[in-house]
Amino acid sequence: MPLFMLYSMAVNLAVGGALLLAWKRGRGQPFTRWIGLFFMVGAVWVPSYLLYFSDSSLNWLGGVIWCAHGALSMLFLLYGVSLMHGAGYRLWHFLMSGLVMFVALMVALSVSPRLAVLTIAAIFSVVAVFVARLLRQGPPAEKLAAVLLLVNALCWWITPIWGVEFQPVQAEIVTLVRLMLGLALLYACVDRAARDAERMSSQFLRLTDGSHQGVLIMVGEHFVYANPVALRLFGLKGHAQIPDNWARLALNDFDRQLLGQRLEKLRSGELENLSWVQALKDHTGRTLQLRLTCWVTEWAGEPAIQVVLSDETDIREAEQQLIQQATHDRLTGALNRFGIERLARVALRDGRMHALMLVNIDRFSGINDAFGYTKGDELLSLVAARLADASNANPSLARVSRDEFLLLLPLQEGVASASSIAAGLLQSMARPYQLAGIELNITASIGVALYPNDGDSFEHLLKQASLAVKSAKEAGQNAIRFFDSAMDGQLHEEILLTNDLHGAVQRNEFELYLQPILDMHTERVVGAEALIRWVHPVRGFVSPGVFIPIAEKAGLIIEIGSWVIDQACATLTRWHAQPAFNELTLAINISAKQFGRGDVDHVLARALEVHGTPANLLELEITESALINEPEQFVDLLARLRRLGVRLAIDDFGTGYSNLTYLQRFMVDKLKVDQSFVRDVTLNSQNAAIVQAVVQMAASLGLKTTAEGIEDSETLGTLRGLGCDQAQGYLFSPPMPADKFEAWVLAIEATADVS
């Protein structure tokens, strides 16, 4: 192989290899690959030329390879430079051009080698002019490459013009020019890469410097870059103050260790990126909530980690505020129902004994009515503060309804400590409050449920504590009650009875029982008291002491009371038609709730009219407490009832706020002495004195008195001696159905007539 061919081949391979290595190093410049291939393919002309002019039978293959090398080298040069300058040609355009060049060279070679050389010189000249026009638009190195390409193209005309003997000269000149061309293009590629890197660096700096997020670059364990936001977050004045590593930032040992472990996983490729929120104090001492997002990058040719710092302090504070609003009571600042439920679910996981204490303010609605809701709210705030103080600022204090507070307390010393804590709460609540310029005393009822004895969840415990509060209320308020299973059974029974009470009137399950009232002196029957009985289809007789309170709670007492009025009027109308009963009175009890509605006179008037009942024989018994609670409201109602012609009696007299002035205003006809005074009147001188005072007061006002609950003759004699007018009790007869009562009255009257 001649030396000039070896020289040409080595130069092409060296320059092409250098360009391909540059492309492999930074693939952001794809044109480097195609220009590198232009030189690499250029080295193929030597072996193809030698094969073509050899005596081998494969010399035709050398010609094909020579033509292919010429077409491909032109194709790679065209495509590479067009990519370098962003020309809008598609790859298939160049492929078609390459195919045309290959065909043209093959045709020329088939005619003669000289024509083939002329053809490739012409093609290269055209390509060189086209490529040079593109390269002239670039920097100086590319302009030099454009000139060298044109010179290279001119050198290809030496052999066609001056003959084959000048081929070595042409090859040496072309090789030298291609070497300079390769160096120029290599420099142009490197220069472009440097300018691209500088541009990207400038864009990176503009992006990071103008970002509202902090950006840090770490190479190894050291910071090498921090944007202005990161500098501000750490209270640094410039890049010279960037700390060497995390150890100099305000992180505690645990956080630094955890951060180091996370970054190590990132470097090892175990994780693609990291993101977490880190509390960090800034230079002012304020605790920031920073989200750190990290990924692997490159800095100055070295592996690095980019850290983006997003200040989420305001977002976190807003989230905390929303959580505060969702979990705390706005009025008192204590937890709300949702808040304590969340806390309880966590607290009860440890398995320790806890007490759930439900504190209900007694008669709070009356305070609102008396002082208004604003003052009521002030009282609730004072109560919350009092409970917090009494429970040593327990974080579980919650307001769960209008007048109820809840405490969840761990019990270190068992149930005994729960009793002590509840007693302390009750005592603290009882201290006077200053409200609306007056000293106000209130009480509370406390229900206690124990975990895990009484329930295994917050919902279950709250239900049990509510039952315990209900028991404390029924015990007279200002009391503490611990839940027991009987309460649950009682509630279940109450719910069943409430359900059965609905529609009991329509199903005709009630019946009036009558208990006789006798004249104290003649022992003749003067009337009866109507007492309702419920004959349940399954349970049988249900005591009024059981179902009446349930009916009042369920709002069914109004319907039941109207039924009693209607039945009483029907009974009196039937009696009025019979001589033996036409002078008997019939007394019925009006519940406080029915009386409080204020329309009982309309119900009564309608029943009297429907049945044609003589109103003077109907007696309404109203409890003293119902009248005294709202005296002004009921004076007009009592007057309307009197205008209907019915009689009025005060039931259970002596147990309320007995007052002579009230009796004068209410214009009643009778006082019924409560059986609590009657029962022990022969043994208790104080009871006897009370009965005597009531009788004398009634006599002075022209009122009759009835003593109820008489069970023996001795009591009857004592009451007769004290001046009572009428008697009622089991001494004479228990309550009985109307037909039996009527038969009993006839028997009594017959006995009296005989005697």
Side-chain angles (χ1 to χ4, degrees):
M1 180 184 297
L3 184 61
F4 74 89
M5 290 186 176
L6 184 62
Y7 172 59
S8 174
M9 189 173 175
V11 167
N12 278 287
L13 290 175
V15 174
L19 286 166
L20 288 175
L21 286 174
W23 167 74
K24 189 175 181 181
R25 175 70 174 157
R27 301 199 179 191
Q29 299 185 93
F31 57 85
T32 311
R33 173 178 58 173
W34 300 105
I35 295 174
L37 289 174
F38 160 71
F39 282 95
M40 295 293 286
V41 172
V44 176
W45 82 270
V46 174
S48 63
Y49 179 85
L50 293 175
L51 181 62
Y52 179 71
F53 286 101
S54 69
D55 296 331
S56 171
S57 61
L58 295 176
N59 59 352
W60 63 269
L61 181 60
V64 173
I65 294 174
W66 185 83
C67 293
H69 122 269
L72 283 174
S73 63
M74 297 302 104
L75 170 64
F76 291 149
L77 179 62
L78 281 169
Y79 189 59
V81 174
S82 66
L83 282 179
M84 179 186 292
H85 287 272
Y89 300 105
R90 297 181 180 276
L91 178 60
W92 70 270
H93 291 147
F94 296 101
L95 292 174
M96 291 300 297
S97 300
L99 181 61
V100 170
M101 287 186 285
F102 174 73
V103 171
L105 288 172
M106 287 294 295
V107 171
L109 185 63
S110 66
V111 174
S112 71
R114 180 181 176 83
L115 182 60
V117 172
L118 281 171
T119 303
I120 197 168
I123 291 173
F124 191 74
S125 297
V126 173
V127 170
V129 171
F130 177 80
V131 172
R133 290 183 61 188
L134 293 176
L135 290 174
R136 285 178 56 197
Q137 302 171 13
E142 294 182 23
K143 291 178 180 178
L144 176 61
V147 173
L148 291 172
L149 262 176
L150 292 174
V151 172
N152 192 13
L154 289 174
C155 291
W156 276 87
W157 290 96
I158 292 175
T159 299
I161 295 174
W162 284 287
V164 176
E165 60 273 16
F166 285 92
Q167 186 176 16
V169 176
Q170 174 184 314
E172 290 176 2
I173 295 173
V174 168
T175 301
L176 180 61
V177 173
R178 285 176 77 90
L179 175 61
M180 291 187 291
L181 174 63
L183 292 174
L185 288 173
L186 184 60
Y187 180 82
C189 292
V190 172
D191 182 57
R192 274 184 173 270
R195 283 188 286 112
D196 287 347
E198 184 179 352
R199 184 173 62 255
M200 291 178 65
S201 176
S202 177
Q203 289 176 346
F204 172 78
L205 292 176
R206 284 200 304 272
L207 287 172
T208 57
D209 288 356
S211 173
H212 66 281
Q213 297 174 309
V215 179
L216 295 169
I217 301 293
M218 293 182 65
V219 175
E221 298 294 332
H222 302 284
F223 295 120
V224 295
Y225 171 79
N227 75 339
V229 175
L231 294 174
R232 177 175 53 78
L233 288 173
F234 298 126
L236 305 176
K237 295 182 179 178
H239 285 80
Q241 296 182 348
I242 297 175
D244 293 336
N245 51 50
W246 290 106
R248 289 188 54 191
L249 296 178
L251 289 175
N252 57 44
D253 293 338
F254 174 78
D255 285 339
R256 283 203 301 272
Q257 182 180 0
L258 184 61
L259 179 60
Q261 293 171 353
R262 287 171 170 170
L263 293 178
E264 191 57 40
K265 289 182 178 180
L266 193 63
R267 290 190 186 96
S268 66
E270 188 176 341
L271 296 174
E272 291 186 4
N273 54 66
L274 283 174
S275 180
W276 76 98
V277 175
Q278 175 69 54
L280 192 68
K281 285 190 176 180
D282 66 4
H283 61 287
T284 66
R286 181 191 180 202
T287 299
L288 303 177
Q289 299 292 330
L290 300 181
R291 177 169 291 281
L292 278 65
T293 305
C294 308
W295 58 85
V296 175
T297 185
E298 186 177 289
W299 184 268
E302 295 184 69
I305 291 178
Q306 181 171 337
V307 183
V308 175
L309 308 172
S310 303
D311 187 356
E312 296 187 355
T313 307
D314 292 340
I315 296 174
R316 296 284 168 170
E317 289 178 351
E319 288 177 352
Q320 289 301 316
Q321 187 175 0
L322 289 174
I323 292 173
Q324 176 78 10
Q325 292 174 354
T327 58
H328 286 72
D329 175 49
R330 185 174 299 180
L331 174 64
T332 63
L335 293 171
N336 58 17
R337 165 70 183 271
F338 176 67
I340 193 171
E341 186 171 351
R342 288 180 65 206
L343 185 148
R345 286 176 179 169
V346 176
L348 297 179
R349 289 177 189 164
D350 61 13
R352 290 185 300 166
M353 178 174 281
H354 285 73
L356 191 69
M357 298 187 180
L358 186 61
V359 182
N360 182 281
I361 302 173
D362 295 329
R363 298 180 296 278
F364 180 73
S365 59
I367 295 171
N368 271 339
D369 294 341
F371 300 102
Y373 285 92
T374 300
K375 294 300 179 183
D377 288 347
E378 289 181 19
L379 177 62
L380 289 171
S381 297
L382 293 173
V383 169
R386 187 80 59 85
L387 289 172
D389 183 62
S391 61
N392 297 320
N394 187 283
S396 72
L397 175 64
R399 179 175 172 233
V400 293
S401 68
R402 184 187 63 167
D403 56 356
E404 284 188 323
F405 292 85
L406 202 60
L407 274 165
L408 181 66
L409 301 165
L411 300 179
Q412 307 294 345
E413 301 174 8
V415 180
S417 60
S419 299
S420 175
I421 293 169
L425 294 177
L426 206 62
Q427 184 178 3
S428 177
M429 290 278 290
R431 295 201 312 270
Y433 296 83
Q434 296 298 323
L435 186 69
I438 65 169
E439 189 174 85
L440 182 67
N441 291 284
I442 65 171
T443 60
S445 300
I446 300 179
V448 184
L450 301 176
Y451 172 86
N453 304 26
D454 299 330
D456 57 0
S457 67
F458 172 79
E459 293 81 1
H460 200 183
L461 289 172
L462 182 58
K463 173 198 164 192
Q464 315 298 45
S466 300
L467 290 174
V469 163
K470 179 175 177 286
S471 177
K473 292 280 188 184
E474 292 172 350
Q477 303 181 342
N478 192 29
I480 301 168
R481 288 291 182 272
F482 281 73
F483 170 79
D484 65 53
S485 56
M487 296 176 183
D488 207 2
Q490 182 180 352
L491 176 64
H492 183 71
E493 185 73 6
E494 186 175 311
I495 292 172
L496 292 177
L497 285 174
T498 302
N499 185 60
D500 290 346
L501 269 174
H502 284 278
V505 170
Q506 286 73 25
R507 294 192 297 269
N508 199 29
E509 293 176 5
F510 293 112
E511 185 176 349
L512 277 189
Y513 271 47
L514 306 176
Q515 186 174 36
I517 300 175
L518 288 77
D519 184 279
M520 186 71 76
H521 303 288
T522 65
E523 296 191 16
R524 301 289 295 262
V525 180
V526 294
E529 179 180 3
L531 301 168
I532 190 170
R533 293 293 182 267
W534 183 17
V535 186
H536 192 280
V538 177
R539 301 170 185 265
F541 279 95
V542 181
S543 169
V546 172
F547 76 81
I548 291 296
I550 294 175
E552 289 182 339
K553 289 179 186 177
L556 300 171
I557 196 66
I558 307 301
E559 180 186 8
I560 293 173
S562 299
W563 180 87
V564 170
I565 289 173
D566 184 78
Q567 292 297 307
C569 288
T571 299
L572 275 175
T573 300
R574 190 177 72 254
W575 283 358
H576 192 62
Q578 304 177 50
F581 305 103
N582 60 7
E583 294 184 2
L584 296 184
T585 62
L586 184 59
I588 58 174
N589 293 283
I590 303 296
S591 74
K593 284 188 177 292
Q594 187 173 19
F595 193 71
R597 279 183 53 138
D599 65 346
V600 68
D601 57 319
H602 299 300
V603 176
L604 190 59
R606 190 162 48 248
L608 291 171
E609 182 180 357
V610 168
H611 296 286
T613 307
N616 64 308
L617 297 178
L618 184 63
E619 187 175 281
L620 306 183
E621 295 185 359
I622 305 165
T623 60
E624 182 182 4
S625 57
L627 294 171
I628 302 304
N629 285 338
E630 301 284 350
E632 298 299 331
Q633 178 182 344
F634 295 143
V635 166
D636 183 58
L637 176 58
L638 289 170
R640 297 200 304 271
L641 290 172
R642 289 303 300 264
R643 285 196 292 271
L644 289 175
V646 299
R647 302 184 184 189
L648 299 176
I650 295 181
D651 197 12
D652 302 333
F653 190 79
T655 60
Y657 310 89
S658 307
N659 186 297
L660 190 61
T661 304
Y662 286 144
L663 293 178
Q664 290 176 322
R665 294 183 64 195
F666 292 153
M667 302 172 292
V668 298
D669 300 290
K670 182 192 290 187
L671 302 180
K672 293 194 73 173
V673 182
D674 188 69
Q675 56 185 317
S676 61
F677 301 118
V678 171
R679 194 168 290 119
D680 297 328
V681 72
T682 60
L683 303 175
N684 190 321
S685 58
Q686 187 175 8
N687 280 5
I690 291 173
V691 173
Q692 185 175 22
V694 170
V695 170
Q696 290 176 352
M697 180 174 60
S700 66
L701 293 173
L703 308 179
K704 290 196 174 289
T705 54
T706 298
E708 56 183 350
I710 301 173
E711 297 183 357
D712 56 69
S713 300
E714 187 177 1
T715 300
L716 177 64
T718 302
L719 291 169
R720 185 184 288 125
L722 291 174
C724 277
D725 298 308
Q726 296 176 350
Q728 179 181 348
Y730 275 73
L731 174 63
F732 309 108
S733 172
M736 48 190 152
D739 56 344
K740 292 185 178 180
F741 169 81
E742 292 168 5
W744 183 87
V745 169
L746 292 174
I748 290 293
E749 291 298 320
T751 303
D753 291 340
V754 170
S755 60

